[in-house]
Amino acid sequence: MNGEHQYRLHATWTGDRGSGTSGYRDYDRAVTLEVDGKPAIAASADKPFRGDPAKWNPEELLLAALSECHLLSYLHACVTTGVVVTGYEDDASGTMQEDGNSGGAFTEVVLRPRVRVAEESMVEAARAAHAQARAWCFIANSVNFPVRHEPEITVG
């Protein structure tokens, strides 16, 4: 399956309190993210950047994209090698460093997938499938910081 794929999203700033961006503290960082045919996502800036901590922020969405992309790539890698996955959870974390000039960047993301496989004989192949998943993950291949994996494989 080769080819170019296009993705579209509609983002609407909903944080005008009546005076627009007249001052740094005068507006909300509220945003609605929409893709046709899917529920809207209420988003905001992260709390340290005057955002609403009850809403998704861009940093969390990036972390979620990396985690889900690895999960889906991993499941595919397991199917191709005969590994039967019966459970998968990830406790991902990311580090972002501010640069002191109102900018910054992620310096690392660590994915900690806990994978359950059907049989003991599948454990090594299940562990190796993480490398293949990393190679296949479109999102991880698109970022300029390391995405590390600390997998745990169990049988059950």
Side-chain angles (χ1 to χ4, degrees):
M1 185 167 62
N2 293 328
E4 182 176 276
H5 304 270
Q6 297 290 320
Y7 300 91
R8 288 176 175 67
L9 169 116
H10 182 79
T12 305
W13 173 54
T14 57
D16 183 1
R17 294 179 182 156
S19 61
T21 58
S22 58
Y24 187 70
R25 290 173 162 59
D26 297 336
Y27 64 95
D28 284 336
R29 276 58 176 176
V31 176
T32 301
L33 304 174
E34 298 173 280
V35 174
D36 284 344
K38 297 179 184 177
I41 295 175
S44 182
D46 195 10
K47 185 177 180 179
F49 309 108
R50 306 194 58 77
D52 182 345
K55 296 179 180 174
W56 284 87
N57 63 59
E59 297 81 9
E60 292 166 334
L61 290 166
L62 176 61
L63 188 59
L66 285 162
S67 178
E68 183 182 0
C69 187
H70 184 79
L71 181 157
L72 296 170
S73 298
Y74 180 78
L75 296 177
H76 178 69
C78 285
V79 165
T80 64
T81 59
V83 174
V84 178
V85 174
T86 60
Y88 185 113
E89 294 181 27
D90 183 15
D91 289 313
S93 62
T95 302
M96 186 188 71
Q97 182 65 50
E98 292 184 67
D99 65 11
N101 295 312
S102 297
F106 270 80
T107 58
E108 176 182 62
V109 163
V110 180
L111 304 179
R112 295 178 184 84
R114 290 184 312 281
V115 178
R116 190 173 57 250
V117 297
E119 298 175 12
E120 182 70 35
S121 63
M122 299 175 176
V123 170
E124 285 313 308
R127 191 173 317 285
H130 285 286
Q132 182 62 67
R134 171 58 179 93
W136 285 343
C137 178
F138 303 128
I139 308 302
N141 289 330
S142 301
V143 299
N144 66 352
F145 53 84
V147 179
R148 293 191 303 111
H149 307 93
E150 298 176 356
E152 177 185 317
I153 312 291
T154 60
V155 179

